Amino acid sequence: MGKKRIMLPVEEVDISAVKYENEAIKAPHLTGFLLKLFVKMIEAPLLGSLITYFIKKENRMVELLRNTVIPEAPMFKPEFPPQEPEPGVIIMEEDGKPEDRVESALKCLPHYDPASHWNADSSPFRYWKIRDYAHAYRSRLATPSMVAEHFISVMEEFRNKKPPAPLLVSFDAEDLRKQAAASTQRFQEGNPLSILDGIFVAIKDDIDCLPHPSKGATIWMHEVRPVEKDAVSVSRLRSCGVIFVGKANMHELGLGTSGNNPNYGTTRNPHAPERYTGGSSSGPAALVASGLCSAALGTDGGGSVRIPSSLCGVVGLKTTYGRTPMIGSICDSGTVEIIGPIASTVEDVMLVYATILGSSPADRVCLKPAPPCLPNLSSSESLNVMGTLRLGKYTQWFNDVYSTDISDKCEDVLNMLSKNHGCKVTEIIIPELNEMRTAHIVSIGSESVSSLNPHCYDGKISKMTLDTRTNLALFRTFTASDYVAAQCLRRRLMYYHLEIFKNVDIIVTPTTGMTAPIISPSALKFGESNLQVAGYLMRFVVAANLLGLPAISVPVGYDKQGLPIGLQLIGRPWGEASILRLASAVEELCGEPKKKPAQFYDILKGK
């Protein structure tokens, strides 16, 4: 029998006595034949129970979930107290037209002259912004139809890759041509729908986008869940004239952080094709980093927008839980997931975010969201606001990374923010980080099993990848009492974070604890289970998911191997404007020189 542990009520915890514990996940790293054998063992009734119990016990999950008295009441989804209004912002009308919101967002952006950049030398490397595309279309330097043909030729190139490494798992060249022709005609008539008209956007394969099926990168989901209309976020983008290129590859069902997918092939990191993109939004991040799309939509239940954005050197926004509607996504019934934008620049993330924001009627009732707003970066007041920002840094956690290249680079950025903008960096302590990791895995795991169980019992589990089956075997062992215990921990951790936000405005961390991991050749055919790597990739991201907080990953440089490093900014509930303002400043400080990805396509000029 385990020894009973009693937690102090959260208000009585002495924060100054908290000791940081380095995270060490204990689980086997398996690929190929060994992974196939392990799945047979873990799915066996008796032997599987013993294996999963041993894994949970070694990682102290049994002690925490079964042998611990947690005095707090459960919090079954994020609960937020009223927040103070953010300074220097423009409020977005969430009941208004998406086209009007994106026009308001455009007015928030600093001055930019696309014409001068169009004619400038291509060195040093830079991504084309949405405003560059809009200028090219309006000036008749290019048309959406021309860009579509460039895109289609690249997709033909990818179709012939061996082994397969698809960016898209559903692509219809004729549908793309049709969308582009309609956009081109609108420009010829002088009636573009918005700044986003003719902009190429990819949609992760767990978000509905007609005429494509939503498979979650499985080989079966479309058989049991037909797509009848666009997801709400996709519909809002479509009303602004966005051109959808297809459904982007992903880690199957979002149950992994590497982006590995034996079903269709594993998307490669544009900066180093022998390495993973990160996941689960692997395709969206790779498409943006490769220059093939200005933006993409991903889902984020455990860092799935921020991790691949960091590893691929682009910007990824995880919004406050409930800020963007989940209606029309495969993972629309959980308590940790959001739909968020990925783009090459902060301003492009702002434009897409402004378009898709707007809470569902149900979330407005239970979450009582603050009015959505954006930082007014075109105002002189923005610099004054920057100087008032207080940044919280938990140094021991911040430095718990695989390579000091990551922590050193992120530390350099904090020093530049202090020197150039007067931001104050304050030392903080976040208790119970390992408890937070457990509460998150129990929450997202239990919710995943709940939605997938009917399909598993209907025989679909044999069609799932081996690492998905490994994860589900573990998740099925979580009991109702485990789930309730995790929600009690959620309340404790929400208290700690809200107390921290009384003294700081934004919590800063590296986005990931390691840069892009190498793809094992044996993982391409059968998949891979590597929870140690997953632990490094997820080290800093789960607070935003478990507690519903907004967070953004912004690229800040490269490690000694030339692999991208991301800095994560975590904000107060509904505090998207503050993290976007700081992300824009970070981007400006770290803007030059940018490294051109090994896999990059200039589809605007056709190079």
Side-chain angles (χ1 to χ4, degrees):
M1 295 292 290
K3 185 177 179 182
K4 184 170 73 173
R5 172 191 172 204
I6 301 177
M7 283 181 148
L8 283 174
V10 66
E11 298 89 349
E12 298 177 19
V13 174
D14 181 2
I15 302 296
S16 64
V18 170
K19 296 287 190 290
Y20 181 75
E21 296 181 51
N22 290 80
E23 182 182 299
I25 296 177
K26 298 176 182 177
H29 173 204
L30 300 166
T31 62
F33 171 77
L34 289 178
L35 180 57
K36 291 179 71 176
L37 178 62
F38 184 75
V39 168
K40 284 185 178 297
M41 293 166 61
I42 203 170
E43 288 182 344
L46 181 59
L47 183 58
S49 298
L50 293 173
I51 293 171
T52 53
Y53 179 82
F54 178 78
I55 291 173
K56 290 192 294 183
K57 192 171 188 300
E58 284 293 290
N59 290 282
R60 297 167 50 192
M61 296 176 75
V62 173
E63 172 192 348
L64 177 62
L65 298 170
R66 307 284 170 85
N67 303 340
T68 302
V69 177
I70 307 170
E72 282 68 39
M75 179 186 287
F76 288 105
K77 62 165 55 178
E79 299 171 9
F80 306 126
Q83 301 294 306
E84 292 291 323
E86 296 173 277
V89 301
I90 293 179
I91 294 176
M92 299 287 112
E93 180 52 63
E94 64 180 329
D95 288 325
K97 294 180 179 180
E99 310 94 286
D100 295 337
R101 284 199 302 273
V102 78
E103 185 64 29
S104 297
L106 194 59
K107 294 174 182 176
C108 294
L109 303 181
H111 173 73
Y112 177 72
D113 180 15
S116 63
H117 287 91
W118 180 267
N119 297 315
D121 185 9
S122 59
S123 181
F125 170 74
R126 57 182 290 276
Y127 285 100
W128 293 119
K129 296 182 179 183
I130 286 172
R131 286 196 277 182
D132 291 313
Y133 277 85
H135 164 74
Y137 295 157
R138 284 168 169 78
S139 304
R140 309 213 171 180
L141 299 168
T143 68
S145 289
M146 291 165 57
V147 175
E149 292 305 320
H150 298 155
F151 186 93
I152 290 167
S153 68
V154 176
M155 289 301 102
E156 289 293 324
E157 176 185 327
F158 268 84
R159 193 169 67 176
N160 297 322
K161 282 187 181 290
K162 300 293 181 187
L167 297 167
L168 297 172
V169 295
S170 180
F171 173 62
D172 185 333
E174 290 311 309
D175 178 68
L176 185 65
R177 288 187 172 107
K178 181 179 176 182
Q179 293 180 73
S183 179
T184 297
Q185 183 173 350
R186 290 193 293 270
F187 278 101
Q188 289 172 344
E189 295 170 350
N191 295 312
L193 297 175
S194 76
I195 190 76
L196 296 182
D197 204 335
I199 299 303
F200 284 58
V201 173
I203 304 297
K204 189 178 179 182
D205 195 34
D206 59 355
I207 304 170
D208 293 343
C209 178
L210 289 172
H212 305 278
S214 291
K215 296 179 281 192
T218 68
I219 58 173
W220 58 269
M221 180 63 78
H222 58 294
E223 298 171 0
V224 299
R225 186 187 176 277
V227 173
E228 298 176 351
K229 61 181 180 179
D230 288 337
V232 172
S233 55
V234 171
S235 175
R236 290 172 180 173
L237 287 170
R238 199 183 291 275
S239 70
C240 292
V242 159
I243 294 174
F244 298 107
V245 301
K247 302 301 290 296
N249 201 0
M250 59 181 285
H251 204 114
E252 186 185 60
L253 295 170
L255 297 180
T257 56
S258 67
N260 180 283
N261 191 316
N263 293 329
Y264 299 96
T266 295
T267 301
R268 308 307 182 92
N269 193 309
H271 288 269
E274 75 281 4
R275 292 177 181 269
Y276 282 119
T277 56
S280 60
S281 303
S282 52
L287 280 155
V288 172
S290 297
L292 291 166
C293 287
S294 296
L297 290 189
T299 52
D300 191 320
S304 291
V305 161
R306 290 160 289 153
I307 291 170
S309 295
S310 177
L311 269 52
C312 293
V314 293
V315 182
L317 174 65
K318 187 261 166 203
T319 59
T320 306
Y321 178 79
R323 176 66 89 194
T324 49
M326 293 298 293
I327 301 166
S329 68
I330 290 175
C331 52
D332 62 357
S333 58
T335 65
V336 296
E337 294 94 347
I338 61 91
I339 291 175
I342 296 172
S344 59
T345 63
V346 174
E347 74 165 58
D348 288 353
V349 159
M350 287 174 59
L351 293 172
V352 175
Y353 166 61
T355 308
I356 67 172
L357 66 78
S359 303
S360 70
D363 283 338
R364 291 193 202 188
V365 171
C366 64
L367 296 174
K368 299 178 175 60
C373 50
L374 289 177
N376 187 0
L377 302 179
S378 64
S379 164
S380 58
E381 183 188 0
S382 188
L383 284 176
N384 297 331
V385 174
M386 276 293 302
T388 68
L389 288 179
R390 301 164 298 169
L391 312 182
K393 175 195 173 195
Y394 187 5
T395 297
Q396 288 177 287
W397 189 36
F398 191 98
N399 293 336
D400 188 6
V401 291
Y402 186 79
S403 166
T404 54
D405 289 358
I406 297 171
S407 51
D408 289 347
K409 180 63 69 173
C410 292
E411 181 73 32
D412 289 345
V413 176
L414 298 188
N415 291 334
M416 286 191 287
L417 287 169
S418 297
K419 179 181 177 181
N420 292 12
H421 293 289
C423 299
K424 181 182 178 182
V425 180
T426 300
E427 184 65 25
I428 60 172
I429 295 174
I430 307 176
E432 301 173 16
L433 288 171
N434 285 329
E435 286 83 350
M436 181 165 65
R437 182 190 78 204
T438 298
H440 173 263
I441 195 68
V442 171
S443 297
I444 193 171
S446 300
E447 291 163 11
S448 298
V449 166
S450 175
S451 65
L452 291 172
N453 258 346
H455 309 307
C456 293
Y457 288 118
D458 196 33
K460 295 296 187 290
I461 192 163
S462 63
K463 296 183 177 182
M464 297 182 192
T465 61
L466 296 174
D467 71 313
T468 296
R469 290 166 65 176
T470 300
N471 290 332
L472 290 177
L474 175 64
F475 297 162
R476 280 196 201 92
T477 67
F478 298 144
T479 64
S481 63
D482 292 339
Y483 186 77
V484 172
Q487 309 321 304
C488 295
L489 290 171
R490 194 195 306 236
R491 188 172 296 280
R492 289 177 69 87
L493 288 151
M494 183 70 85
Y495 175 87
Y496 292 135
H497 280 74
L498 292 178
E499 287 295 299
I500 289 168
F501 281 124
K502 290 178 180 178
N503 299 305
V504 305
D505 301 298
I506 294 169
I507 297 172
V508 290
T509 73
T511 306
T512 60
M514 69 186 302
T515 50
I518 290 177
I519 302 171
S520 169
S522 60
L524 293 175
K525 185 175 182 181
F526 296 112
E528 182 172 19
S529 178
N530 191 338
L531 295 185
Q532 288 88 358
V533 164
Y536 273 113
L537 294 178
M538 296 180 70
R539 177 146 301 160
F540 304 104
V541 297
V542 298
N545 295 106
L546 183 69
L547 307 180
L549 303 172
I552 191 169
S553 177
V554 58
V556 294
Y558 308 90
D559 68 6
K560 291 184 178 69
Q561 300 175 86
L563 301 171
I565 294 169
L567 179 73
Q568 178 180 229
L569 314 173
I570 306 173
R572 291 189 179 94
W574 316 116
E576 284 84 0
S578 294
I579 61 173
L580 286 165
R581 185 190 311 280
L582 185 59
S584 180
V586 169
E587 181 178 65
E588 187 175 355
L589 290 172
C590 304
E592 305 291 350
K594 249 189 187 331
K595 185 171 77 73
K596 184 177 181 179
Q599 174 186 291
F600 178 79
Y601 304 88
D602 182 350
I603 63 167
L604 181 55
K605 287 192 172 181
K607 296 181 181 178

